[in-house]
Amino acid sequence: MAFLEVCDLRKCFGETEVLKGVSFTMEKGEVISVIGSSGNGKTTLLRCLNFLETPDDGTITVGGKRVFPVATEEEKTGGNRLTFGLVFQNFNLFPQYNALRNVTLAMDIKDENELRAAGVKSKERKAILKQRKADNVQTATALLERVGLKDKLLNYPCELSGGQQQRVAIARALALSPDILCFDEPTSALDPELTGEVLKVIKGLIDEDRTIIIVTHEMGFARNVSDKIIFMADGVIEETGTPEEVFDAPKSEKTRAFFAKATEKE
Amino acid sequence: MDFITVTQSLFEGFAITCLIFLLTLVFALPLGLLISFCTMSKIKAIKGVFKVIVWVIRGVPLMLQLFIVYYLPGMLSPTGLNPFGKLDNFFYFNLGIDNGGALLATLIAFVINYAAYFSEIFRGGIESIPRGQYEAGKVLGMTKNQIFKKVVFMQVVKRIVPPMSNEIITLVKDTALARVIGVIEIIKVADMFASKAIIWPLFYTSVFYLVFVGLLTVLFGFIEKKLSYYKV
Ligand SMILES: Nc1ncnc2c1ncn2[C@@H]1O[C@H](COP(=O)(O)OP(=O)(O)O)[C@@H](O)[C@H]1O
Ligand SMILES: [Mg+2]
């Protein structure tokens, strides 16, 4: 059994069927790039994996454990949610917190939620959380250093460039150590000269054998770093395979047309 | 009538003005937040009921609401006695306040009225926060409550400071309405001089309002500046 198994995922918005039965599998440490033109359901797929949308049908299994559908809301929010991490196209940093706090906030809250769930008494909890908070600052600082923002720890999002903001967002997602990290067009909102620094950070994560799903229009990048390419068209996986298979010898007519258009643009 | 005596009397009235102002704020702000949640409720019935309540409260003159709160309970009671009237003695002997029953009625009317206005300001603020902020909180494993408290709330505060300051400054001057049911606030005090043909204390009260509003303006400016380190 593969680490991630997505089976026949379906999602409608009103009358429009956006995902029409998406199935794929993924091993631990694999990198999958999802490509395809706009409006074909790539974002919806990631949003379903991250429980931001509830699929109408289908199953999602991670490490042999069913994460969708599950019996209770509890199961979905408790734990399962953090199986996946998501980096948004437009960062969604919290504007009122500096870079460091953006990263530590969710860590602190996770600690608190865990202690609460374990039934630790309020007074004890406070003492433990104080210690954990200090640890979290250390971890977050290290993460921000890793994404090259050592000297921006105390800057607010409005003081950072798009590329820097996206790197903070990546550190924030990493802080919760998700099993599978998803990126939704992480460089699409950036000026062209800033995409490089973000892609470099993502490349660094890939080299660490993390399990990553990335929706991207950066074809060169997808080809270089991916173990597997998924080409989506019209709510289904039109074609999938190794980068060589998909890029060099596309089988589907739609895939060929997509590449033709992509090269035309360049 | 000399200046010092008048000033002293006006200060006594002004204390009541400030009391109405402060207590209204303290209760109307949280109540307004609560009402805003109700008007944004996913449950249609709750949402509908509270939208109507807000419409009525904002649609009827505050002065009329004062009369209703003050007189209606008495009219409905079998004895026909105004329950607020009975409280006057209690207030007088315990707190040294004249017409305390009317003061209580004023507070009830003001808190409800201002909560309705505040609720719309809160709603506007909350609804202006981009969906991505909630979604970021969600994928980071926060509960709805945690997202509101840790992510959304301070952004809402920043957005609502300007409309809130407007409304709060209006409240300072609306307190003068309380005199219609007999609360002895600053204008009522000045009015009592006027009935003895001494008119100038009435004009003099404007100094009290101006200074108070001036201080509030400085305070809100300070808060805006304090919050200017981030953009939403
Ligand atoms: N919340 C929504 N409500 C209605 N339609 C939506 C919603 N989200 C996405 N869609 C529609 O679903 C289709 C696929 O969108 P999306 O998954 O964002 O595609 P992609 O990421 O591949 O560009 C689009 O036609 C879009 O308009
Ligand atoms: Mg998209």
Side-chain angles (χ1 to χ4, degrees):
Chain A
M1 194 175 203
F3 181 58
L4 168 66
E5 298 205 341
V6 175
C7 189
D8 202 30
L9 216 56
R10 285 166 194 277
K11 178 71 188 173
C12 294
F13 292 112
E15 292 289 288
T16 21
E17 204 179 1
V18 175
L19 297 181
K20 301 174 182 170
V22 170
S23 308
F24 66 94
T25 63
M26 170 173 211
E27 295 299 337
K28 227 184 165 115
E30 252 186 347
V31 175
I32 293 185
S33 287
V34 181
I35 60 173
S37 32
S38 287
N40 280 310
K42 304 183 299 295
T43 296
T44 306
L45 174 62
L46 287 195
R47 289 172 61 84
C48 285
L49 293 178
N50 283 278
F51 306 107
L52 289 177
E53 305 285 356
T54 311
D56 299 325
D57 204 2
T59 60
I60 304 170
T61 311
V62 179
K65 189 171 155 228
R66 172 73 54 85
V67 297
F68 180 87
V70 284
T72 60
E73 187 68 14
E74 191 72 47
E75 281 178 280
K76 194 166 77 183
T77 46
N80 278 348
R81 179 178 283 292
L82 296 179
T83 308
F84 292 91
L86 176 62
V87 174
F88 297 86
Q89 187 170 343
N90 51 356
F91 336 130
N92 290 334
L93 291 182
F94 306 133
Q96 74 270 40
Y97 298 126
N98 61 31
L100 186 63
R101 186 63 184 142
N102 260 280
V103 179
T104 55
L105 179 67
M107 302 167 89
D108 292 347
I109 287 180
K110 183 185 173 193
D111 287 339
E112 188 179 338
N113 288 350
E114 276 171 5
L115 291 177
R116 255 177 220 279
V120 181
K121 296 257 161 22
S122 159
K123 214 171 165 191
E124 260 176 88
R125 206 167 59 214
K126 276 202 181 114
I128 302 174
L129 282 176
K130 208 173 155 203
Q131 178 54 44
R132 295 266 185 96
K133 253 186 147 113
D135 297 344
N136 289 344
V137 168
Q138 298 266 316
T139 314
T141 307
L143 281 169
L144 284 165
E145 273 180 37
R146 265 209 30 206
V147 299
L149 293 172
K150 191 178 174 180
D151 52 344
K152 300 287 181 196
L153 295 179
L154 301 181
N155 285 82
Y156 290 88
C158 64
E159 302 165 337
L160 300 174
S161 73
Q164 291 168 335
Q165 288 188 52
Q166 190 61 300
R167 285 185 280 152
V168 175
I170 292 172
R172 182 174 74 171
L174 286 174
L176 299 181
S177 342
D179 294 322
I180 301 167
L181 186 53
C182 305
F183 292 85
D184 188 9
E185 302 195 27
T187 59
S188 290
L190 301 178
D191 293 332
E193 71 269 23
L194 299 178
T195 58
E197 62 189 57
V198 171
L199 292 180
K200 206 171 112 197
V201 166
I202 299 173
K203 178 75 168 65
L205 300 177
I206 289 170
D207 292 341
E208 283 175 6
D209 276 345
R210 287 182 190 266
T211 314
I212 288 175
I213 303 177
I214 174 166
V215 173
T216 184
H217 290 299
E218 300 282 338
M219 294 303 153
F221 184 75
R223 183 188 185 117
N224 284 334
V225 302
S226 312
D227 299 299
K228 196 155 106 189
I229 302 287
I230 287 179
F231 172 69
M232 280 190 74
D234 204 18
V236 294
I237 294 179
E238 177 72 20
E239 181 157 359
T240 176
T242 63
E244 291 74 27
E245 285 167 357
V246 177
F247 283 103
D248 298 334
K251 290 191 206 73
S252 149
E253 191 54 49
K254 281 186 188 165
T255 318
R256 279 198 289 272
F258 171 71
F259 287 140
K261 234 183 181 171
T263 31
E264 205 175 278
K265 252 188 263 164
E266 285 161 16
Chain B
M1 198 58 66
D2 68 308
F3 184 73
I4 305 274
T5 319
V6 169
T7 306
Q8 266 174 359
S9 302
L10 289 185
F11 259 114
E12 276 170 32
F14 192 58
I16 298 294
T17 299
C18 292
L19 191 66
I20 299 171
F21 172 81
L22 277 179
L23 290 177
T24 301
L25 266 195
V26 166
F27 292 106
L29 282 171
L31 182 62
L33 188 60
L34 203 69
I35 295 175
S36 78
F37 288 143
C38 294
T39 56
M40 290 184 290
S41 171
K42 282 199 190 102
I43 303 163
K44 286 234 169 67
I46 294 183
K47 181 176 170 152
V49 167
F50 277 87
K51 289 238 165 198
V52 170
I53 291 176
V54 169
W55 168 59
V56 170
I57 292 173
R58 294 201 305 169
V60 174
L62 178 52
M63 192 191 282
L64 203 51
Q65 290 175 35
L66 281 169
F67 286 132
I68 292 170
V69 171
Y70 188 59
Y71 291 116
L72 197 63
M75 288 163 66
L76 295 179
S77 87
T79 58
L81 289 174
N82 188 340
F84 289 112
K86 280 192 252 167
L87 290 167
D88 284 349
N89 280 343
F90 171 83
F91 274 96
Y92 184 74
F93 289 116
N94 288 291
L95 302 165
I97 293 173
D98 281 318
N99 293 4
L103 182 64
L104 184 64
T106 301
L107 285 174
I108 293 171
F110 271 55
V111 166
I112 294 173
N113 186 272
Y114 270 83
Y117 280 99
F118 289 159
S119 78
E120 284 297 280
I121 295 177
F122 281 124
R123 187 176 65 84
I126 291 170
E127 286 181 347
S128 72
I129 303 301
R131 233 175 55 157
Q133 292 290 309
Y134 292 92
E135 292 183 344
K138 237 171 161 183
V139 296
L140 292 169
M142 301 181 200
T143 64
K144 266 199 179 130
N145 263 335
Q146 288 165 339
I147 293 174
F148 186 77
K149 274 197 258 173
K150 304 282 184 176
V151 175
V152 175
F153 187 71
M154 279 315 284
Q155 297 183 46
V156 172
V157 168
K158 181 172 167 111
R159 284 183 191 218
I160 66 177
V161 169
M164 267 300 171
S165 24
N166 238 343
E167 209 54 57
I168 289 172
I169 283 171
T170 305
L171 170 61
V172 175
K173 292 159 294 169
D174 271 355
T175 54
L177 287 171
R179 57 193 274 273
V180 300
I181 54 172
V183 174
I184 304 168
E185 47 69 61
I186 184 166
I187 293 208
K188 179 75 183 174
V189 174
D191 212 18
M192 296 191 300
F193 288 115
S195 64
K196 293 179 219 156
I198 309 166
I199 303 295
W200 64 267
L202 207 45
F203 303 145
Y204 180 26
T205 59
S206 62
V207 174
F208 289 77
Y209 287 107
L210 281 172
V211 170
F212 195 14
V213 170
L215 289 176
L216 283 177
T217 308
V218 171
L219 176 67
F220 288 124
F222 176 76
I223 292 173
E224 270 185 54
K225 205 164 153 215
K226 269 273 160 195
L227 294 176
S228 68
Y229 68 90
Y230 65 93
K231 289 201 185 76
V232 291

